[in-house]
Structures are given as C-alpha cells and as structure tokens.
Amino acid sequence: MFRQIATGIGAAALIGISAPAFADRGATATEIEKIIPVLKAAGYVSWEEIELDDDGPHFEVDDARKADGSKWDVKLSTTDFQIVREKKD
C-alpha cells in the first residue's frame, strides 16, 4: 500500500514538473490599437513592451514613460482596456 502511494505521489510530481509553463504573449495589433489611446490619454509618451499577462489576466505595459521622464509599470483590463494599476518604477 505504501509503495502504491509513493508511486502515485512520484507520478504526480513528474506531471507537475513536465507540464508546460504558459508564457505571457505579446499584445495583438488589434489590442494595441485599443491600448495606445488609453496610455496617451493617461499622459504616457512611450513604453517598452505591451503583453498579455496570463496571471491576471491583464495587459502589462513595461517601462511606460511620462513627459517628465518618470517610468511606470501599467496594468490594463482585458475587457475594457482601462488602466487598473499604475506603479512607479
């Protein structure tokens, strides 16, 4: 009985290890068309990358810069593309 339990636990651990990690993906052209006006309206003039973060899910904009040079990490809703969080970098 103990051996069956240990084998089951070992198999479950291997499945967890071998399961593929779901990586974030870049925003599509259609999504970017909706995100950029929101960023500009909030005062952002440039940014590094826009990606869909599956952990949220939300869009994440890395190193968004305002006219004063300050850098921010911005998160946007996947449903209405509005800003849900801004964190100064």
Side-chain angles (χ1 to χ4, degrees):
M1 174 99 174
F2 175 75
R3 185 179 194 131
Q4 289 174 332
I5 293 172
T7 302
I9 291 171
L14 285 176
I15 290 170
I17 291 170
S18 65
F22 294 101
D24 299 340
R25 68 160 174 84
T28 66
T30 303
E31 293 164 342
I32 289 171
E33 286 177 11
K34 295 176 182 178
I35 292 169
I36 288 176
V38 173
L39 292 173
K40 288 184 177 183
Y44 294 101
V45 296
S46 67
W47 42 86
E48 291 295 317
E49 114 182 281
I50 301 172
E51 64 184 10
L52 176 64
D53 185 351
D54 290 336
D55 291 341
H58 55 264
F59 289 101
E60 187 169 72
V61 182
D62 292 326
D63 296 333
R65 290 174 185 83
K66 292 199 174 196
D68 66 1
S70 62
K71 289 197 311 189
W72 299 75
D73 288 330
V74 181
K75 294 186 181 189
L76 296 96
S77 166
T78 58
T79 55
D80 63 5
F81 298 94
Q82 296 304 303
I83 294 173
V84 295
R85 184 171 153 233
E86 296 171 284
K87 181 182 173 194
K88 194 166 186 178
D89 221 6

